[in-house]
Amino acid sequence: MDSIKSHIRAIPDFPKKGIMFRDITTLLKDAAGFQLVIGQLASRYRGKDIDLVVGIESRGFILGGALAFALGKGFVPVRKSGKLPYDKISHEYELEYGTDKVEIHTDAIAPGSRVLMIDDVIATGGTMLAAIALVEKLGGIAEECAFIVDLPDIGGSKKLREKGHSVFSLCEFEGG
Ligand code: AMP
């Protein structure tokens, strides 16, 4: 997956010191790069037993929207607190400092639906675990969590797998 990796820009100390930010905008602006990402994900999930795609705000929307379209499935957003207009449920989760909250519309997922979860990067896994909690509260089944980038040294993908979730990523970077 070197062509995917080579299109991802690394920005040291963003948004704060010590974080190496993996910027996928350089990958997505490249037409061939964007097609490669969605093409590889679509070929993994085409024909699988998936009812819809759930993307996490905000880069998960770009990927999830394109992937859902390619698979011929619907798309559901998991949003940060206060953005969704209709009846919703929330899940609060721990950050390094403080907490954050994600939300989903109560009618977004029919009980028993098989859901493909997607975001751009997995670091601690906290955001994805919160999104899975929302899907499960509505009776959905998180079939797999897909990412462009795994940062395995931070431990999120290991944590998800230990909790019994299936994780797939197109590439990995060492370190934080
Ligand atoms: P986490 O909950 O720690 O797994 O963080 C995941 C969320 O934060 C995802 O929505 C990512 O887009 C973003 N994120 C965390 N770490 C990075 C990083 N090093 N580079 C880019 N995005 C990151």
Side-chain angles (χ1 to χ4, degrees):
M1 303 304 159
D2 276 354
S3 57
I4 289 180
K5 281 185 87 163
S6 66
H7 280 86
I8 297 172
R9 174 164 55 191
I11 303 177
D13 299 322
F14 183 87
K16 59 184 179 193
K17 204 157 177 53
I19 305 278
M20 179 66 86
F21 192 86
R22 303 294 173 176
D23 175 17
I24 61 156
T25 64
T26 41
L27 173 64
L28 300 184
K29 78 169 180 182
D30 183 273
F34 197 8
Q35 294 222 338
L36 196 59
V37 166
I38 299 303
Q40 287 189 1
L41 292 171
S43 65
R44 180 176 177 83
Y45 298 110
R46 195 170 286 124
K48 294 263 169 69
D49 195 6
I50 283 164
D51 298 310
L52 55 89
V53 177
V54 165
I56 304 177
E57 186 167 356
S58 56
R59 289 175 295 264
F61 293 177
I62 303 166
L63 303 171
L67 181 58
F69 188 86
L71 293 173
K73 304 294 178 186
F75 174 79
V76 167
V78 163
R79 297 213 65 176
K80 304 277 166 63
S81 185
K83 308 272 190 179
L84 287 173
Y86 186 63
D87 295 342
K88 61 214 162 208
I89 54 168
S90 308
H91 190 87
E92 202 168 84
Y93 62 103
E94 303 276 324
L95 297 173
E96 194 178 351
Y97 303 103
T99 61
D100 213 343
K101 209 197 273 183
V102 284
E103 298 183 331
I104 194 168
H105 278 147
T106 49
D107 62 355
I109 293 174
S113 301
R114 298 181 169 277
V115 177
L116 171 60
M117 314 287 296
I118 186 154
D119 202 0
D120 64 333
V121 175
I122 179 165
T124 67
T127 311
M128 183 53 81
L129 280 172
I132 293 171
L134 291 175
V135 166
E136 291 181 344
K137 273 186 208 173
L138 295 178
I141 301 148
E143 276 294 304
E144 187 156 89
C145 305
F147 305 88
I148 298 181
V149 177
D150 184 11
L151 303 174
D153 297 341
I154 301 182
S157 50
K158 183 165 178 269
K159 193 200 287 181
L160 259 69
R161 289 190 180 105
E162 282 170 359
K163 288 179 183 289
H165 301 297
S166 181
V167 178
F168 175 74
S169 63
L170 292 175
C171 67
E172 295 183 355
F173 287 98
E174 283 179 14

